[in-house]
Structures are given as C-alpha cells and as structure tokens.
Amino acid sequence: MMPVRRTNWLPGIFNDFFGNEWVESKRVSSPAVNIIENEKEYKVEVAAPGLTKDDFRIDIHDDDMLTISVEKKSEKSDEGKNNKYLRREFSYSSFRQSMILPDDVDRESIKAKMEDGILSIEIPKIVKVEQPNPTKRIEIQ
C-alpha cells in the first residue's frame, strides 16, 4: 500500500516525533525538535549539544521522505599518573527520524546548518505565481 500524501504535515509529524514506536528503550533519549512555518518556508530545528555536523546525515528519498539520522561514537577516559586506566567509558548514541515532506516544498533548495548546538533545516516553499485567467470569447455559430 502506498503512503497517503499529506499536504498538512504537522499532525503527522507530531505523531511521528512524540509517538513511542521508534523509541526502543527507556534509556534512549531523542533530541528536542522545533518545527516552524512561515509564508516562505518550514524550518526544523534539532537540539544537538555536543554533536557536530559530521555526526548528522540528512537524506531526501524519492517518496518525499526526509530522514535525519545521528551516529555518535565517543570514548572518555580518566588516566592516572602512570597511565593506568582508572575508569574508561565507551558510548554510542544514535537517532533516526523520518518525516513526509509537504507537497508545497522546493526539494532542490533545502539547506541545513549546524550552529551553537542546533541543527537547522530550512525547507523553502514553492513560490506560486497566480496567473490571471484571461477571458476567452466563444463565437456563436
């Protein structure tokens, strides 16, 4: 079955973000997400303190699915004077979220930037120019 295309994406996106079907355990935490809309664009902001742009991957699939994923591996260690490990921790965190883009977006102009611990994805809307409907005279035969 083909997914139904939604022009109003907000109810679906909120269900996707706040639903529990993609959270695998209570220890997994997902980043806070803001979704903003104005006349010109949609903007998705993902709180990502401690992450860099290299930790993220953003893909747009053929079915107009936007996927944001994070994979972060880090190693922390506290060493004593003799370079013996007193404590060593390995951590691995990952996050993946997908959303269906609305029909009115310009896929080719989507941009992302990482600044001050926030990933911002700018999704411009297609500018529609209203064409006047010229009057057409029909001749009577």
mmCIF file of all heavy atoms in Angstrom, residues 40-90:
data_model
loop_
_atom_site.group_PDB
_atom_site.id
_atom_site.type_symbol
_atom_site.label_atom_id
_atom_site.label_comp_id
_atom_site.label_asym_id
_atom_site.label_seq_id
_atom_site.Cartn_x
_atom_site.Cartn_y
_atom_site.Cartn_z
ATOM 1 N N LYS A 40 7.176 31.695 3.712
ATOM 2 C CA LYS A 40 8.207 31.307 2.754
ATOM 3 C C LYS A 40 8.787 29.916 2.959
ATOM 4 O O LYS A 40 9.320 29.331 2.024
ATOM 5 C CB LYS A 40 9.353 32.322 2.792
ATOM 6 C CG LYS A 40 8.950 33.700 2.363
ATOM 7 C CD LYS A 40 10.128 34.635 2.399
ATOM 8 C CE LYS A 40 9.718 36.031 1.972
ATOM 9 N NZ LYS A 40 10.841 36.952 1.988
ATOM 10 N N GLU A 41 8.727 29.385 4.199
ATOM 11 C CA GLU A 41 9.435 28.125 4.450
ATOM 12 C C GLU A 41 8.930 27.418 5.700
ATOM 13 O O GLU A 41 8.205 27.979 6.506
ATOM 14 C CB GLU A 41 10.933 28.392 4.608
ATOM 15 C CG GLU A 41 11.285 29.154 5.869
ATOM 16 C CD GLU A 41 12.772 29.417 6.039
ATOM 17 O OE1 GLU A 41 13.574 28.955 5.213
ATOM 18 O OE2 GLU A 41 13.128 30.091 7.012
ATOM 19 N N TYR A 42 9.363 26.162 5.799
ATOM 20 C CA TYR A 42 9.273 25.391 7.030
ATOM 21 C C TYR A 42 10.689 25.334 7.587
ATOM 22 O O TYR A 42 11.658 25.346 6.833
ATOM 23 C CB TYR A 42 8.805 23.960 6.767
ATOM 24 C CG TYR A 42 7.448 23.863 6.130
ATOM 25 C CD1 TYR A 42 7.320 23.709 4.750
ATOM 26 C CD2 TYR A 42 6.291 23.902 6.898
ATOM 27 C CE1 TYR A 42 6.075 23.610 4.159
ATOM 28 C CE2 TYR A 42 5.040 23.803 6.303
ATOM 29 C CZ TYR A 42 4.935 23.655 4.943
ATOM 30 O OH TYR A 42 3.707 23.556 4.358
ATOM 31 N N LYS A 43 10.813 25.273 8.884
ATOM 32 C CA LYS A 43 12.138 25.159 9.491
ATOM 33 C C LYS A 43 12.063 24.108 10.585
ATOM 34 O O LYS A 43 11.179 24.134 11.431
ATOM 35 C CB LYS A 43 12.574 26.501 10.071
ATOM 36 C CG LYS A 43 14.005 26.533 10.528
ATOM 37 C CD LYS A 43 14.399 27.953 10.892
ATOM 38 C CE LYS A 43 15.871 28.044 11.195
ATOM 39 N NZ LYS A 43 16.282 29.418 11.500
ATOM 40 N N VAL A 44 12.988 23.167 10.535
ATOM 41 C CA VAL A 44 13.089 22.127 11.553
ATOM 42 C C VAL A 44 14.372 22.386 12.320
ATOM 43 O O VAL A 44 15.440 22.506 11.723
ATOM 44 C CB VAL A 44 13.126 20.711 10.915
ATOM 45 C CG1 VAL A 44 13.297 19.648 11.989
ATOM 46 C CG2 VAL A 44 11.865 20.458 10.096
ATOM 47 N N GLU A 45 14.254 22.491 13.646
ATOM 48 C CA GLU A 45 15.415 22.702 14.499
ATOM 49 C C GLU A 45 15.554 21.494 15.417
ATOM 50 O O GLU A 45 14.587 21.079 16.052
ATOM 51 C CB GLU A 45 15.244 23.956 15.359
ATOM 52 C CG GLU A 45 15.115 25.229 14.559
ATOM 53 C CD GLU A 45 14.802 26.439 15.420
ATOM 54 O OE1 GLU A 45 14.154 26.288 16.484
ATOM 55 O OE2 GLU A 45 15.198 27.538 15.018
ATOM 56 N N VAL A 46 16.749 20.939 15.471
ATOM 57 C CA VAL A 46 17.030 19.777 16.306
ATOM 58 C C VAL A 46 18.101 20.177 17.316
ATOM 59 O O VAL A 46 19.199 20.597 16.928
ATOM 60 C CB VAL A 46 17.537 18.584 15.454
ATOM 61 C CG1 VAL A 46 17.831 17.387 16.333
ATOM 62 C CG2 VAL A 46 16.528 18.228 14.367
ATOM 63 N N ALA A 47 17.774 20.060 18.613
ATOM 64 C CA ALA A 47 18.749 20.367 19.660
ATOM 65 C C ALA A 47 19.804 19.275 19.652
ATOM 66 O O ALA A 47 19.489 18.089 19.769
ATOM 67 C CB ALA A 47 18.070 20.443 21.021
ATOM 68 N N ALA A 48 21.067 19.669 19.515
ATOM 69 C CA ALA A 48 22.135 18.689 19.373
ATOM 70 C C ALA A 48 23.392 19.125 20.100
ATOM 71 O O ALA A 48 24.460 19.223 19.509
ATOM 72 C CB ALA A 48 22.415 18.462 17.895
ATOM 73 N N PRO A 49 23.304 19.391 21.414
ATOM 74 C CA PRO A 49 24.512 19.806 22.130
ATOM 75 C C PRO A 49 25.552 18.693 22.131
ATOM 76 O O PRO A 49 25.227 17.524 22.300
ATOM 77 C CB PRO A 49 24.017 20.111 23.546
ATOM 78 C CG PRO A 49 22.719 19.387 23.670
ATOM 79 C CD PRO A 49 22.149 19.290 22.289
ATOM 80 N N GLY A 50 26.799 19.064 21.922
ATOM 81 C CA GLY A 50 27.886 18.088 21.920
ATOM 82 C C GLY A 50 28.070 17.363 20.608
ATOM 83 O O GLY A 50 28.998 16.572 20.456
ATOM 84 N N LEU A 51 27.191 17.599 19.637
ATOM 85 C CA LEU A 51 27.313 16.945 18.334
ATOM 86 C C LEU A 51 27.853 17.948 17.317
ATOM 87 O O LEU A 51 27.739 19.155 17.492
ATOM 88 C CB LEU A 51 25.958 16.415 17.875
ATOM 89 C CG LEU A 51 25.325 15.350 18.757
ATOM 90 C CD1 LEU A 51 23.934 14.997 18.251
ATOM 91 C CD2 LEU A 51 26.184 14.104 18.823
ATOM 92 N N THR A 52 28.433 17.416 16.260
ATOM 93 C CA THR A 52 28.940 18.262 15.191
ATOM 94 C C THR A 52 28.178 17.941 13.912
ATOM 95 O O THR A 52 27.442 16.948 13.845
ATOM 96 C CB THR A 52 30.441 18.019 14.941
ATOM 97 O OG1 THR A 52 30.611 16.685 14.423
ATOM 98 C CG2 THR A 52 31.256 18.198 16.216
ATOM 99 N N LYS A 53 28.389 18.742 12.891
ATOM 100 C CA LYS A 53 27.711 18.483 11.627
ATOM 101 C C LYS A 53 28.120 17.137 11.038
ATOM 102 O O LYS A 53 27.350 16.518 10.314
ATOM 103 C CB LYS A 53 27.951 19.617 10.632
ATOM 104 C CG LYS A 53 29.372 19.739 10.142
ATOM 105 C CD LYS A 53 29.487 20.875 9.146
ATOM 106 C CE LYS A 53 30.863 20.886 8.517
ATOM 107 N NZ LYS A 53 30.971 21.897 7.467
ATOM 108 N N ASP A 54 29.318 16.655 11.360
ATOM 109 C CA ASP A 54 29.775 15.363 10.846
ATOM 110 C C ASP A 54 29.050 14.185 11.496
ATOM 111 O O ASP A 54 29.098 13.072 10.971
ATOM 112 C CB ASP A 54 31.276 15.223 11.063
ATOM 113 C CG ASP A 54 32.065 16.254 10.258
ATOM 114 O OD1 ASP A 54 31.590 16.649 9.172
ATOM 115 O OD2 ASP A 54 33.137 16.672 10.723
ATOM 116 N N ASP A 55 28.373 14.408 12.627
ATOM 117 C CA ASP A 55 27.617 13.344 13.291
ATOM 118 C C ASP A 55 26.252 13.137 12.643
ATOM 119 O O ASP A 55 25.610 12.121 12.873
ATOM 120 C CB ASP A 55 27.417 13.678 14.779
ATOM 121 C CG ASP A 55 28.730 13.770 15.527
ATOM 122 O OD1 ASP A 55 29.651 13.005 15.190
ATOM 123 O OD2 ASP A 55 28.846 14.605 16.445
ATOM 124 N N PHE A 56 25.795 14.094 11.830
ATOM 125 C CA PHE A 56 24.461 14.049 11.240
ATOM 126 C C PHE A 56 24.494 13.580 9.801
ATOM 127 O O PHE A 56 25.478 13.755 9.097
ATOM 128 C CB PHE A 56 23.821 15.443 11.259
ATOM 129 C CG PHE A 56 23.260 15.822 12.579
ATOM 130 C CD1 PHE A 56 24.024 16.540 13.482
ATOM 131 C CD2 PHE A 56 21.970 15.471 12.932
ATOM 132 C CE1 PHE A 56 23.517 16.910 14.706
ATOM 133 C CE2 PHE A 56 21.458 15.833 14.153
ATOM 134 C CZ PHE A 56 22.227 16.556 15.044
ATOM 135 N N ARG A 57 23.389 13.020 9.387
ATOM 136 C CA ARG A 57 23.158 12.694 7.983
ATOM 137 C C ARG A 57 21.705 13.053 7.679
ATOM 138 O O ARG A 57 20.803 12.667 8.430
ATOM 139 C CB ARG A 57 23.414 11.214 7.728
ATOM 140 C CG ARG A 57 23.177 10.842 6.284
ATOM 141 C CD ARG A 57 23.551 9.438 5.999
ATOM 142 N NE ARG A 57 23.113 9.089 4.666
ATOM 143 C CZ ARG A 57 23.533 8.059 4.011
ATOM 144 N NH1 ARG A 57 24.405 7.236 4.566
ATOM 145 N NH2 ARG A 57 23.094 7.811 2.802
ATOM 146 N N ILE A 58 21.488 13.794 6.603
ATOM 147 C CA ILE A 58 20.144 14.181 6.193
ATOM 148 C C ILE A 58 19.951 13.703 4.763
ATOM 149 O O ILE A 58 20.744 14.013 3.883
ATOM 150 C CB ILE A 58 19.957 15.712 6.274
ATOM 151 C CG1 ILE A 58 20.252 16.207 7.693
ATOM 152 C CG2 ILE A 58 18.542 16.095 5.848
ATOM 153 C CD1 ILE A 58 20.347 17.708 7.804
ATOM 154 N N ASP A 59 18.894 12.934 4.543
ATOM 155 C CA ASP A 59 18.603 12.390 3.212
ATOM 156 C C ASP A 59 17.176 12.736 2.811
ATOM 157 O O ASP A 59 16.280 12.757 3.649
ATOM 158 C CB ASP A 59 18.744 10.862 3.199
ATOM 159 C CG ASP A 59 20.169 10.407 3.465
ATOM 160 O OD1 ASP A 59 21.069 10.854 2.745
ATOM 161 O OD2 ASP A 59 20.374 9.612 4.395
ATOM 162 N N ILE A 60 16.961 12.968 1.515
ATOM 163 C CA ILE A 60 15.626 13.094 0.950
ATOM 164 C C ILE A 60 15.458 11.926 0.001
ATOM 165 O O ILE A 60 16.227 11.761 -0.937
ATOM 166 C CB ILE A 60 15.440 14.409 0.184
ATOM 167 C CG1 ILE A 60 15.714 15.590 1.103
ATOM 168 C CG2 ILE A 60 14.020 14.485 -0.384
ATOM 169 C CD1 ILE A 60 15.713 16.915 0.381
ATOM 170 N N HIS A 61 14.453 11.120 0.256
ATOM 171 C CA HIS A 61 14.204 9.930 -0.555
ATOM 172 C C HIS A 61 13.211 10.251 -1.675
ATOM 173 O O HIS A 61 12.535 11.281 -1.655
ATOM 174 C CB HIS A 61 13.683 8.800 0.340
ATOM 175 C CG HIS A 61 14.590 8.513 1.497
ATOM 176 N ND1 HIS A 61 15.731 7.756 1.394
ATOM 177 C CD2 HIS A 61 14.547 8.925 2.790
ATOM 178 C CE1 HIS A 61 16.339 7.689 2.564
ATOM 179 N NE2 HIS A 61 15.639 8.392 3.428
ATOM 180 N N ASP A 62 13.101 9.355 -2.639
ATOM 181 C CA ASP A 62 12.224 9.551 -3.786
ATOM 182 C C ASP A 62 10.760 9.716 -3.406
ATOM 183 O O ASP A 62 9.991 10.319 -4.137
ATOM 184 C CB ASP A 62 12.347 8.389 -4.771
ATOM 185 C CG ASP A 62 13.678 8.427 -5.516
ATOM 186 O OD1 ASP A 62 14.284 9.510 -5.574
ATOM 187 O OD2 ASP A 62 14.102 7.386 -6.018
ATOM 188 N N ASP A 63 10.358 9.165 -2.271
ATOM 189 C CA ASP A 63 8.960 9.266 -1.842
ATOM 190 C C ASP A 63 8.702 10.509 -0.997
ATOM 191 O O ASP A 63 7.742 10.573 -0.246
ATOM 192 C CB ASP A 63 8.537 8.012 -1.081
ATOM 193 C CG ASP A 63 9.415 7.746 0.131
ATOM 194 O OD1 ASP A 63 10.392 8.495 0.358
ATOM 195 O OD2 ASP A 63 9.114 6.786 0.866
ATOM 196 N N ASP A 64 9.576 11.519 -1.130
ATOM 197 C CA ASP A 64 9.497 12.776 -0.379
ATOM 198 C C ASP A 64 9.593 12.573 1.126
ATOM 199 O O ASP A 64 8.992 13.296 1.906
ATOM 200 C CB ASP A 64 8.223 13.562 -0.726
ATOM 201 C CG ASP A 64 8.324 14.204 -2.096
ATOM 202 O OD1 ASP A 64 9.457 14.432 -2.560
ATOM 203 O OD2 ASP A 64 7.284 14.475 -2.703
ATOM 204 N N MET A 65 10.371 11.599 1.519
ATOM 205 C CA MET A 65 10.632 11.340 2.931
ATOM 206 C C MET A 65 11.963 11.985 3.287
ATOM 207 O O MET A 65 12.982 11.724 2.651
ATOM 208 C CB MET A 65 10.692 9.833 3.188
ATOM 209 C CG MET A 65 10.810 9.452 4.635
ATOM 210 S SD MET A 65 9.295 9.638 5.552
ATOM 211 C CE MET A 65 8.264 8.391 4.831
ATOM 212 N N LEU A 66 11.951 12.862 4.291
ATOM 213 C CA LEU A 66 13.163 13.492 4.795
ATOM 214 C C LEU A 66 13.589 12.706 6.029
ATOM 215 O O LEU A 66 12.794 12.514 6.943
ATOM 216 C CB LEU A 66 12.889 14.950 5.172
ATOM 217 C CG LEU A 66 14.063 15.706 5.791
ATOM 218 C CD1 LEU A 66 15.027 16.148 4.697
ATOM 219 C CD2 LEU A 66 13.584 16.912 6.565
ATOM 220 N N THR A 67 14.832 12.234 6.041
ATOM 221 C CA THR A 67 15.335 11.437 7.159
ATOM 222 C C THR A 67 16.530 12.147 7.775
ATOM 223 O O THR A 67 17.478 12.508 7.085
ATOM 224 C CB THR A 67 15.750 10.023 6.691
ATOM 225 O OG1 THR A 67 14.625 9.381 6.101
ATOM 226 C CG2 THR A 67 16.241 9.192 7.858
ATOM 227 N N ILE A 68 16.449 12.332 9.098
ATOM 228 C CA ILE A 68 17.543 12.907 9.872
ATOM 229 C C ILE A 68 18.092 11.788 10.741
ATOM 230 O O ILE A 68 17.334 11.149 11.475
ATOM 231 C CB ILE A 68 17.044 14.044 10.783
ATOM 232 C CG1 ILE A 68 16.315 15.104 9.968
ATOM 233 C CG2 ILE A 68 18.205 14.646 11.571
ATOM 234 C CD1 ILE A 68 15.504 16.062 10.817
ATOM 235 N N SER A 69 19.388 11.534 10.656
ATOM 236 C CA SER A 69 19.968 10.485 11.497
ATOM 237 C C SER A 69 21.269 10.990 12.110
ATOM 238 O O SER A 69 21.958 11.830 11.557
ATOM 239 C CB SER A 69 20.189 9.201 10.697
ATOM 240 O OG SER A 69 20.964 9.435 9.560
ATOM 241 N N VAL A 70 21.545 10.457 13.300
ATOM 242 C CA VAL A 70 22.747 10.809 14.055
ATOM 243 C C VAL A 70 23.425 9.519 14.460
ATOM 244 O O VAL A 70 22.772 8.563 14.877
ATOM 245 C CB VAL A 70 22.400 11.596 15.344
ATOM 246 C CG1 VAL A 70 23.640 11.816 16.183
ATOM 247 C CG2 VAL A 70 21.734 12.901 15.023
ATOM 248 N N GLU A 71 24.729 9.494 14.323
ATOM 249 C CA GLU A 71 25.511 8.388 14.842
ATOM 250 C C GLU A 71 26.743 8.987 15.493
ATOM 251 O O GLU A 71 27.537 9.639 14.851
ATOM 252 C CB GLU A 71 25.900 7.429 13.728
ATOM 253 C CG GLU A 71 26.543 6.169 14.255
ATOM 254 C CD GLU A 71 26.713 5.125 13.172
ATOM 255 O OE1 GLU A 71 25.782 4.933 12.357
ATOM 256 O OE2 GLU A 71 27.788 4.511 13.133
ATOM 257 N N LYS A 72 26.859 8.801 16.793
ATOM 258 C CA LYS A 72 27.961 9.399 17.552
ATOM 259 C C LYS A 72 28.627 8.320 18.383
ATOM 260 O O LYS A 72 27.998 7.657 19.188
ATOM 261 C CB LYS A 72 27.414 10.494 18.471
ATOM 262 C CG LYS A 72 28.417 11.129 19.402
ATOM 263 C CD LYS A 72 29.241 12.157 18.702
ATOM 264 C CE LYS A 72 30.116 12.905 19.687
ATOM 265 N NZ LYS A 72 31.008 13.823 19.052
ATOM 266 N N LYS A 73 29.913 8.130 18.145
ATOM 267 C CA LYS A 73 30.711 7.219 18.953
ATOM 268 C C LYS A 73 31.721 8.070 19.689
ATOM 269 O O LYS A 73 32.364 8.929 19.096
ATOM 270 C CB LYS A 73 31.444 6.203 18.084
ATOM 271 C CG LYS A 73 30.547 5.287 17.309
ATOM 272 C CD LYS A 73 31.352 4.375 16.421
ATOM 273 C CE LYS A 73 30.429 3.545 15.551
ATOM 274 N NZ LYS A 73 31.167 2.690 14.637
ATOM 275 N N SER A 74 31.856 7.840 20.970
ATOM 276 C CA SER A 74 32.848 8.610 21.710
ATOM 277 C C SER A 74 33.487 7.741 22.774
ATOM 278 O O SER A 74 32.911 6.757 23.232
ATOM 279 C CB SER A 74 32.211 9.847 22.346
ATOM 280 O OG SER A 74 31.250 9.468 23.292
ATOM 281 N N GLU A 75 34.669 8.111 23.136
ATOM 282 C CA GLU A 75 35.414 7.390 24.156
ATOM 283 C C GLU A 75 35.895 8.410 25.169
ATOM 284 O O GLU A 75 36.480 9.428 24.813
ATOM 285 C CB GLU A 75 36.611 6.684 23.528
ATOM 286 C CG GLU A 75 37.471 5.942 24.511
ATOM 287 C CD GLU A 75 38.667 5.287 23.846
ATOM 288 O OE1 GLU A 75 38.587 4.952 22.656
ATOM 289 O OE2 GLU A 75 39.675 5.141 24.531
ATOM 290 N N LYS A 76 35.607 8.143 26.446
ATOM 291 C CA LYS A 76 36.080 9.008 27.519
ATOM 292 C C LYS A 76 36.985 8.177 28.411
ATOM 293 O O LYS A 76 36.700 7.028 28.690
ATOM 294 C CB LYS A 76 34.907 9.518 28.364
ATOM 295 C CG LYS A 76 33.930 10.372 27.617
ATOM 296 C CD LYS A 76 32.807 10.774 28.520
ATOM 297 C CE LYS A 76 31.750 11.527 27.740
ATOM 298 N NZ LYS A 76 30.611 11.863 28.559
ATOM 299 N N SER A 77 38.056 8.784 28.862
ATOM 300 C CA SER A 77 38.926 8.044 29.772
ATOM 301 C C SER A 77 39.543 8.988 30.779
ATOM 302 O O SER A 77 39.829 10.139 30.477
ATOM 303 C CB SER A 77 40.024 7.305 29.004
ATOM 304 O OG SER A 77 40.866 8.229 28.373
ATOM 305 N N ASP A 78 39.697 8.485 31.983
ATOM 306 C CA ASP A 78 40.413 9.200 33.033
ATOM 307 C C ASP A 78 41.639 8.372 33.338
ATOM 308 O O ASP A 78 41.542 7.215 33.696
ATOM 309 C CB ASP A 78 39.547 9.321 34.300
ATOM 310 C CG ASP A 78 38.343 10.213 34.070
ATOM 311 O OD1 ASP A 78 38.422 11.073 33.174
ATOM 312 O OD2 ASP A 78 37.334 10.054 34.778
ATOM 313 N N GLU A 79 42.806 8.966 33.180
ATOM 314 C CA GLU A 79 44.044 8.226 33.375
ATOM 315 C C GLU A 79 44.798 8.770 34.586
ATOM 316 O O GLU A 79 44.809 9.968 34.837
ATOM 317 C CB GLU A 79 44.933 8.334 32.130
ATOM 318 C CG GLU A 79 44.295 7.713 30.904
ATOM 319 C CD GLU A 79 45.192 7.766 29.693
ATOM 320 O OE1 GLU A 79 46.385 8.065 29.848
ATOM 321 O OE2 GLU A 79 44.707 7.493 28.592
ATOM 322 N N GLY A 80 45.436 7.872 35.341
ATOM 323 C CA GLY A 80 46.249 8.268 36.486
ATOM 324 C C GLY A 80 47.634 8.663 36.025
ATOM 325 O O GLY A 80 47.934 8.712 34.828
ATOM 326 N N LYS A 81 48.503 8.943 36.963
ATOM 327 C CA LYS A 81 49.855 9.407 36.640
ATOM 328 C C LYS A 81 50.671 8.359 35.894
ATOM 329 O O LYS A 81 51.528 8.685 35.102
ATOM 330 C CB LYS A 81 50.588 9.804 37.921
ATOM 331 C CG LYS A 81 50.017 11.045 38.556
ATOM 332 C CD LYS A 81 50.790 11.419 39.783
ATOM 333 C CE LYS A 81 50.211 12.655 40.445
ATOM 334 N NZ LYS A 81 50.928 13.015 41.659
ATOM 335 N N ASN A 82 50.405 7.102 36.134
ATOM 336 C CA ASN A 82 51.164 6.033 35.481
ATOM 337 C C ASN A 82 50.463 5.532 34.225
ATOM 338 O O ASN A 82 50.734 4.442 33.758
ATOM 339 C CB ASN A 82 51.382 4.871 36.452
ATOM 340 C CG ASN A 82 52.259 5.288 37.622
ATOM 341 O OD1 ASN A 82 53.149 6.115 37.468
ATOM 342 N ND2 ASN A 82 51.995 4.729 38.788
ATOM 343 N N ASN A 83 49.541 6.313 33.709
ATOM 344 C CA ASN A 83 48.789 5.962 32.506
ATOM 345 C C ASN A 83 48.031 4.656 32.637
ATOM 346 O O ASN A 83 47.859 3.944 31.671
ATOM 347 C CB ASN A 83 49.697 5.928 31.272
ATOM 348 C CG ASN A 83 50.203 7.296 30.904
ATOM 349 O OD1 ASN A 83 49.550 8.295 31.187
ATOM 350 N ND2 ASN A 83 51.364 7.351 30.293
ATOM 351 N N LYS A 84 47.584 4.334 33.844
ATOM 352 C CA LYS A 84 46.700 3.188 34.032
ATOM 353 C C LYS A 84 45.273 3.695 33.990
ATOM 354 O O LYS A 84 44.966 4.750 34.523
ATOM 355 C CB LYS A 84 46.960 2.527 35.387
ATOM 356 C CG LYS A 84 48.321 1.903 35.504
ATOM 357 C CD LYS A 84 48.468 1.292 36.875
ATOM 358 C CE LYS A 84 49.876 0.749 37.062
ATOM 359 N NZ LYS A 84 50.099 0.235 38.405
ATOM 360 N N TYR A 85 44.417 2.924 33.339
ATOM 361 C CA TYR A 85 43.016 3.325 33.296
ATOM 362 C C TYR A 85 42.406 3.145 34.667
ATOM 363 O O TYR A 85 42.377 2.044 35.218
ATOM 364 C CB TYR A 85 42.228 2.477 32.286
ATOM 365 C CG TYR A 85 42.528 2.825 30.844
ATOM 366 C CD1 TYR A 85 43.260 1.970 30.045
ATOM 367 C CD2 TYR A 85 42.066 4.011 30.304
ATOM 368 C CE1 TYR A 85 43.546 2.291 28.725
ATOM 369 C CE2 TYR A 85 42.334 4.342 28.981
ATOM 370 C CZ TYR A 85 43.073 3.478 28.200
ATOM 371 O OH TYR A 85 43.331 3.805 26.901
ATOM 372 N N LEU A 86 41.899 4.230 35.237
ATOM 373 C CA LEU A 86 41.121 4.143 36.456
ATOM 374 C C LEU A 86 39.643 4.009 36.117
ATOM 375 O O LEU A 86 38.891 3.385 36.840
ATOM 376 C CB LEU A 86 41.331 5.389 37.318
ATOM 377 C CG LEU A 86 42.765 5.613 37.797
ATOM 378 C CD1 LEU A 86 42.847 6.916 38.562
ATOM 379 C CD2 LEU A 86 43.232 4.442 38.649
ATOM 380 N N ARG A 87 39.276 4.618 35.027
ATOM 381 C CA ARG A 87 37.913 4.497 34.522
ATOM 382 C C ARG A 87 37.964 4.706 33.023
ATOM 383 O O ARG A 87 38.698 5.549 32.527
ATOM 384 C CB ARG A 87 37.010 5.554 35.147
ATOM 385 C CG ARG A 87 35.565 5.390 34.686
ATOM 386 C CD ARG A 87 34.684 6.467 35.256
ATOM 387 N NE ARG A 87 34.946 7.694 34.508
ATOM 388 C CZ ARG A 87 34.400 8.860 34.785
ATOM 389 N NH1 ARG A 87 33.612 8.977 35.813
ATOM 390 N NH2 ARG A 87 34.679 9.912 34.056
ATOM 391 N N ARG A 88 37.195 3.941 32.304
ATOM 392 C CA ARG A 88 37.142 4.098 30.853
ATOM 393 C C ARG A 88 35.702 3.846 30.428
ATOM 394 O O ARG A 88 35.100 2.867 30.826
ATOM 395 C CB ARG A 88 38.076 3.108 30.183
ATOM 396 C CG ARG A 88 38.203 3.340 28.707
ATOM 397 C CD ARG A 88 39.279 2.468 28.126
ATOM 398 N NE ARG A 88 39.481 2.815 26.739
ATOM 399 C CZ ARG A 88 40.379 2.283 25.974
ATOM 400 N NH1 ARG A 88 41.196 1.379 26.444
ATOM 401 N NH2 ARG A 88 40.495 2.644 24.720
ATOM 402 N N GLU A 89 35.170 4.733 29.624
ATOM 403 C CA GLU A 89 33.793 4.587 29.165
ATOM 404 C C GLU A 89 33.759 4.705 27.650
ATOM 405 O O GLU A 89 34.399 5.557 27.068
ATOM 406 C CB GLU A 89 32.911 5.686 29.753
ATOM 407 C CG GLU A 89 32.788 5.640 31.250
ATOM 408 C CD GLU A 89 31.934 6.799 31.765
ATOM 409 O OE1 GLU A 89 31.458 7.608 30.944
ATOM 410 O OE2 GLU A 89 31.766 6.871 32.981
ATOM 411 N N PHE A 90 32.993 3.840 27.050
ATOM 412 C CA PHE A 90 32.694 3.939 25.638
ATOM 413 C C PHE A 90 31.217 4.285 25.545
ATOM 414 O O PHE A 90 30.423 3.735 26.289
ATOM 415 C CB PHE A 90 32.917 2.608 24.908
ATOM 416 C CG PHE A 90 34.355 2.209 24.826
ATOM 417 C CD1 PHE A 90 34.917 1.386 25.778
ATOM 418 C CD2 PHE A 90 35.145 2.659 23.790
ATOM 419 C CE1 PHE A 90 36.234 1.003 25.703
ATOM 420 C CE2 PHE A 90 36.470 2.283 23.701
ATOM 421 C CZ PHE A 90 37.017 1.449 24.663
#
